[in-house]
Amino acid sequence: TMFARLGNAFEREQQFASNAAHELRTPLSVMKINLHNLAREVAQGKQTGIDRFNALQNDTDRMIHAVNQILLLSRTSPEVFEIQKGKVDVVLIAQSVITDMYSKIENKRQEISLEGEHAILRSTEFTLYTLLQNLIANVSTYSPEGASIHLSIIADPFKTVIIIEDSGPGIPAEERSKVLQRFYRNNAGLTAGAVGSGLGLAIVGQIVQLHDGTISLSTSGLGGLKVRIELSNREQR
């Protein structure tokens, strides 16, 4: 059992290094090209240097976002989770996430609502905050201005259910399994200039596995996407 756990740990480390190299290679290359062109155009006094500068800023934002997401992946390992977990109220974490993200949601004139009282789960504040933050950020990013977002949390003795729905464009049925894969991005409905790395739902999926849970995607009653997550309240063996 110990060797099996060590083997899994080594495999995760190798995959983490591969993910980091894969995701950072492209923005770094683009930044290098933009820096070269910017230096040349500034020297020539061209106005297009401003456009190059703005593009460089966007590339930098995307790389910072990717680094943060990759670091989140590295911090959601089973070993760390088992050591740190305790009783956490999912609803309180959801309220904190919405409060922290509200200004960004309001900037897109979107409306978000939360339904649920108390839902105690054996977990950590970090993993649940990360799960909910990625869920809400993904929904907000892919939904248009003025969209509605509804988050509901239901608890029973055996599981905690998290459901998030939106009135955005949704995801075609044939693509729903792909969006849980790392680095896959569904560009339909993506807001121009939005920063993403294709890791958000992959991180959600990894956290769901830590809780011996399940995740499913379907069509929302609001017209967009419905994500249903069930997290086990039972102790893992």
Side-chain angles (χ1 to χ4, degrees):
T1 301
M2 182 184 69
F3 282 124
R5 291 177 63 185
L6 283 173
N8 291 334
F10 285 136
E11 184 178 350
R12 284 194 300 273
E13 291 295 328
Q14 290 175 346
Q15 189 171 21
F16 172 73
S18 175
N19 289 339
H22 178 281
E23 184 61 22
L24 296 179
R25 186 180 295 115
T26 299
L28 286 172
S29 299
V30 173
M31 286 177 67
K32 186 174 181 179
I33 294 171
N34 283 333
L35 279 171
H36 173 77
N37 293 335
L38 178 62
R40 184 176 59 185
E41 291 172 2
V42 169
Q44 296 173 354
K46 293 183 177 179
Q47 283 295 117
T48 52
I50 297 176
D51 295 332
R52 296 285 184 184
F53 179 75
N54 292 333
L56 185 59
Q57 282 188 317
N58 290 333
D59 293 336
T60 303
D61 289 340
R62 182 173 183 269
M63 188 173 69
I64 291 172
H65 179 76
V67 170
N68 288 334
Q69 294 292 78
I70 290 171
L71 288 175
L72 288 177
L73 277 174
S74 71
R75 292 184 60 188
T76 54
S77 66
E79 291 80 8
V80 174
F81 177 71
E82 285 299 319
I83 293 172
Q84 297 180 348
K85 72 179 182 180
K87 292 184 178 180
V88 183
D89 191 331
V90 185
V91 175
L92 290 181
I93 299 297
Q95 291 173 347
S96 177
V97 172
I98 292 173
T99 299
D100 292 343
M101 299 185 64
Y102 191 78
S103 61
K104 292 183 179 180
I105 294 172
E106 190 177 37
N107 285 340
K108 293 187 70 173
R109 292 181 292 178
Q110 297 171 340
E111 294 184 359
I112 185 168
S113 59
L114 171 63
E115 180 181 356
E117 294 184 0
H118 295 288
I120 305 301
L121 182 69
R122 287 280 297 174
S123 183
T124 71
E125 291 186 4
F126 169 77
T127 52
L128 289 178
Y129 187 98
T130 302
L131 182 148
L132 291 166
Q133 193 274 336
N134 276 282
L135 271 180
I136 296 173
N138 188 77
V139 167
S140 177
T141 298
Y142 282 89
S143 297
E145 290 194 4
S148 297
I149 302 169
H150 181 67
L151 176 65
S152 56
I153 299 172
I154 307 164
D156 68 35
F158 302 103
K159 63 180 180 293
T160 296
V161 180
I162 299 172
I163 300 173
I164 186 165
E165 303 179 77
D166 65 73
S167 60
I171 298 177
E174 63 273 14
E175 291 192 32
R176 289 172 185 167
S177 61
K178 298 178 183 178
V179 298
L180 297 176
Q181 300 172 6
R182 295 178 180 183
F183 306 117
Y184 181 84
R185 298 181 72 195
N186 173 31
N187 292 320
L190 186 65
T191 303
V195 176
S197 61
L199 285 170
L201 285 181
I203 292 174
V204 169
Q206 183 165 313
I207 293 175
V208 170
Q209 287 182 352
L210 287 178
H211 294 83
D212 194 25
T214 61
I215 180 171
S216 61
L217 308 180
S218 60
T219 301
S220 165
L222 299 176
L225 181 68
K226 176 180 180 179
V227 181
R228 179 185 176 92
I229 293 173
E230 295 188 5
L231 306 177
S232 175
N233 284 346
R234 294 170 295 181
E235 282 292 324
Q236 289 180 306
R237 290 180 288 179

